Amino acid sequence: MNILDKIVADKHKEIELKKSLIPVTQLESSVLFDREVNSLATALRNSNTGIIAEHKRRSPSKAVINQKVSVQDVATGYQEAGVCGMSVLTDGKYFGGSLDDLLLARSSVQLPLLRKEFIIDEYQLLEAKAHGADVILLIAAVLKQDQIKSLSQFAKSLSLDVLLEVHNQEELEKSIMPSLDMLGVNNRNLKTFEVSTAISKSLSTQIPDDFVKVSESGISSIEVIKDLKQYGYKGFLIGENFMKTENPGASAINFIKDLKS
């Protein structure tokens, strides 16, 4: 089993447990369930920087990234920096995140918030909505075509933006459908964990212009962003680059300032 298979197997167990503890009616009666959603796709289309900054404590490939900073401080720092949106990892076992992180971020900022999670069940979309997310991530590597379709359509029925992530040509081909807002290309090879923006470049021509193009992973310099913009990318997901510093918000402020200059 590779790491993705392990995560998904654990996720199935976790969801079954959560369903037995928190009924759907409880999620739907959350104070945040009916709030107006802030579209990330729109923010990216209207931005000249396109930064989506991440809150991530650790990862399977990097162990600890940053356990010290508070979600609220990171979120307010990112908002001050002028990011287009914030990605919040909510997986506990492998990334040290939780839905509480999403709630804390939501209480701190107005930014579009992406629930970064391994989504395999509609229940997780209701959780996302109930905890203040505006956007959900679907990962083509862990979903069949019919699952991508049903989950993305359900997300749209909840007024959530949908970012679909692909790693290669095959995943992209099965994924293009009208119920998506953004198509993200992950530059990290899931088998080797090696990172290269070559995959973003090679897939760029095959992503229809109806979708906002997002490049994810391994984006750590302004040069890389300027390079990828020439391939039609409007969004850039930056995780570890900010989080590995003592003050992720301040790092984002400096980065975006340099990007604009």
Side-chain angles (χ1 to χ4, degrees), residues 6-69:
K6 276 199 195 108
I7 292 172
V8 171
D10 284 332
K11 203 53 64 182
H12 278 286
K13 292 180 201 153
E14 183 189 307
I15 294 164
E16 287 317 304
L17 177 63
K18 281 184 166 181
K19 281 179 177 175
S20 69
L21 295 170
I22 302 168
V24 165
T25 48
Q26 190 177 326
L27 293 173
E28 288 174 338
S29 61
S30 147
V31 185
L32 292 169
F33 205 83
D34 295 322
R35 64 175 275 276
E36 202 170 312
V37 172
N38 195 350
S39 169
L40 177 62
T42 304
L44 292 174
R45 276 200 183 93
N46 297 331
S47 169
N48 56 2
T49 57
I51 304 295
I52 308 161
E54 195 153 83
H55 179 269
K56 174 159 72 171
R57 291 189 181 86
R58 55 187 167 87
S59 75
S61 61
K62 281 274 167 71
V64 172
I65 298 164
N66 192 334
Q67 301 276 28
K68 296 187 181 120
V69 289

Side-chain angles (χ1 to χ4, degrees), residues 40-52 81-84 222 225-230 233-236 255-261:
L40 177 62
T42 304
L44 292 174
R45 276 200 183 93
N46 297 331
S47 169
N48 56 2
T49 57
I51 304 295
I52 308 161
V83 303
C84 291
I222 287 158
I225 290 177
K226 287 182 172 165
D227 187 25
L228 286 168
K229 279 187 173 190
Q230 296 173 51
Y233 285 91
K234 295 285 288 175
F236 308 93
F255 190 91
I256 290 175
K257 208 179 276 172
D258 289 347
L259 184 58
K260 283 177 170 170
S261 63

Side-chain angles (χ1 to χ4, degrees), residues 181-251:
D181 301 285
M182 296 160 280
L183 268 161
V185 180
N186 194 326
N187 300 307
R188 189 185 304 279
N189 181 315
L190 288 178
K191 295 187 174 72
T192 63
F193 277 106
E194 283 171 5
V195 176
S196 163
T197 56
I199 187 71
S200 279
K201 293 176 185 179
S202 67
L203 293 183
S204 65
T205 54
Q206 291 156 65
I207 300 174
D209 290 335
D210 322 357
F211 307 104
V212 177
K213 296 179 196 177
V214 179
S215 187
E216 310 171 19
S217 290
I219 297 169
S220 57
S221 74
I222 287 158
E223 292 70 41
V224 168
I225 290 177
K226 287 182 172 165
D227 187 25
L228 286 168
K229 279 187 173 190
Q230 296 173 51
Y231 292 83
Y233 285 91
K234 295 285 288 175
F236 308 93
L237 184 73
I238 299 183
E240 290 167 18
N241 198 44
F242 299 147
M243 281 303 291
K244 68 187 180 190
T245 65
E246 274 182 26
N247 187 332
S251 304

